[in-house]
Each structure stands twice: as C-alpha cells, then as structure tokens.
Amino acid sequence: MRIVGAEFTRSCVAPEQFPPDRGIEFAIVGRSNVGKSSLINRLVQQKGLAHVSRTPGKTQAVNFFDLRTNDRALSPFRLVDLPGYGYARVSKALRAQWGPLIQRYLCERRSLACVLFLIDARGSEPTDVATFEWLRSLKLPVIVVMTKSDKLGRGERRACEETVRETFLLTEADPVIQWSSVTGEGRDRLWQAIREAVRT
Ligand SMILES: Nc1nc2c(ncn2[C@@H]2O[C@H](COP(=O)(O)OP(=O)(O)OP(=O)(O)O)[C@@H](O)[C@H]2O)c(=O)[nH]1
Ligand SMILES: [Mg+2]
C-alpha cells in the first residue's frame, strides 16, 4: 500500500467544528506525551504533519488528518489525533472542556472504525486501564500500540507485552504492536492491523 497524500484538515475545540461524518476514521487515544502525534508522522512518513512536543499536553484539540492511499478499502481515510489524558498541569477549565469533547467524538462519530490505543511500552498506569475499559464499554474495536519500544531491550519488551496482555485482559486475537517512532519499528504491522480492522 502506498500513501499518495496526507494533509492536516482541521483542528477542532467543539463538535460543531468536526468535518462531515463520512468515510473511515481511526482515532488515536493515549496519555499525554505517550507519542500520539509522533505516531501519525511516522505512520504517514511525513515529519511535521502533526505537532510533536516534549511538553505534555501539546495537542489540546481534536485534529483531523486526511490521507489518500492506493488501497481502495482505505479511501477516504482519516487519522484523528485526540488530546492526551492524564496531564494534571493543564488548567481546570481546559480539562473540563476536554472530557466532553473526547466523549462526544468517541460516542457519536459514525465514521469512527477503530481506536489506536497507545501505551508506553515501559508500562501502563491506572488511567490507561480505566480509559481502555471505557473504550471497550463503548464497543469500539481497539488496536493496542506499545510506543517508545526503542527504549527497551528484547527481553524486556516480551515481559512488558505479557504484563500488558494480562492487565488489559487481552486475548491472543487482540493485536498488540510494538512501536517506535524513532526507528520505524511496527509500521508495517500497524498498517496491516489497520487494513484488517477495516475488513472486519
Ligand atoms: N524514544 C522515543 N521517543 C518518542 C517516541 N514517540 C514519541 N517520542 C517523544 O515523546 C515526546 C512526546 O511525543 P508526542 O508525539 O508529542 O506525544 P503526544 O502523545 O502527541 O503528546 P500530547 O500531544 O502532549 O498528548 C516527544 O519528545 C517525542 O519525541 C518513540 O517512539 N521513541
Ligand atoms: Mg500530540
């Protein structure tokens, strides 16, 4: 599969601003700073498409990215970068605004085919588990992506993946992908999983 084009569509702070609810969307959910925006850039192979920052809480709106591929099942196809959760230092007002925005998007968006759920390969936190359970309760298909895998050795990765499978009560059939936006590890596997999720 080839990506023919990718562009930033729109940044939204209210549901009324979301683009028309058509086509196939994959949303990216995860803690602040876990690597959501970096994953978009690596998946699409376009540096700077999504804004990356060392400071947690960088992405504070729902950002839509339109992709054109030569795969008919994936056209049109959108990636949606959601604000990260779990960052305490943003203002109370902003946090109060985030929850409902994400909730409206995840509960009401008909184009939403699947969630890429990102956790740090080095371990999950209770907020990750709570968010994952909530996604499951919404009956959303989820692909688990373990980010920043480059920070672990082989043995450690296996152990961490085992722990994640146990913590999140995953079956063998649930995809868990080791990912690194630095090395590009996991890119082929993730596209494969995306295609499979669209097919089912
Ligand atoms: N080593 C390593 N660092 C990464 C990886 N992915 C992201 N980072 C770094 O982690 C930091 C956060 O990355 P972002 O992509 O901005 O994270 P985010 O989840 O979009 O963060 P928010 O928008 O604040 O929620 C940056 O300093 C990235 O360079 C990775 O796979 N490996
Ligand atoms: Mg971001």
Side-chain angles (χ1 to χ4, degrees), residues 55-200:
T55 322
K58 171 77 184 170
T59 311
Q60 302 192 344
V62 178
N63 291 319
F64 292 81
F65 298 88
D66 272 304
L67 269 61
R68 274 168 291 127
T69 74
N70 65 352
D71 184 332
R72 284 189 159 205
L74 293 181
S75 54
F77 179 63
R78 266 198 211 116
L79 288 172
V80 185
D81 195 2
L82 295 177
Y85 52 80
Y87 183 57
R89 266 212 270 166
V90 294
S91 75
K92 246 195 179 168
L94 254 181
R95 260 189 292 162
Q97 186 192 330
W98 278 1
L101 185 63
I102 298 176
Q103 197 151 334
R104 285 280 298 273
Y105 175 80
L106 291 172
C107 295
E108 295 174 13
R109 192 78 176 164
R110 289 166 64 186
S111 313
L112 179 60
C114 182
V115 171
L116 305 183
F117 182 70
L118 274 52
I119 47 176
D120 193 302
R122 294 164 290 182
S124 59
E125 289 181 6
T127 46
D128 293 322
V129 179
T131 306
F132 187 78
E133 281 169 2
W134 180 54
L135 293 173
R136 281 269 155 116
S137 75
L138 296 176
K139 307 264 186 293
L140 286 167
V142 177
I143 297 171
V144 175
V145 180
M146 298 182 67
T147 63
K148 311 192 186 183
S149 271
D150 52 280
K151 296 198 184 233
L152 293 177
R154 263 174 199 274
E156 287 173 303
R157 281 180 202 199
R158 250 195 307 273
C160 288
E161 189 172 322
E162 275 308 304
T163 309
V164 160
R165 284 192 176 276
E166 282 165 22
T167 311
F168 291 84
L169 307 173
L170 303 177
T171 68
E172 279 304 311
D174 293 312
V176 175
I177 295 169
Q178 297 275 352
W179 173 272
S180 168
S181 293
V182 174
T183 65
E185 180 189 349
R187 188 169 176 271
D188 292 345
R189 278 198 67 206
L190 184 51
W191 272 119
Q192 182 73 28
I194 289 172
R195 279 196 296 266
E196 273 163 27
V198 168
R199 237 179 271 134
T200 49

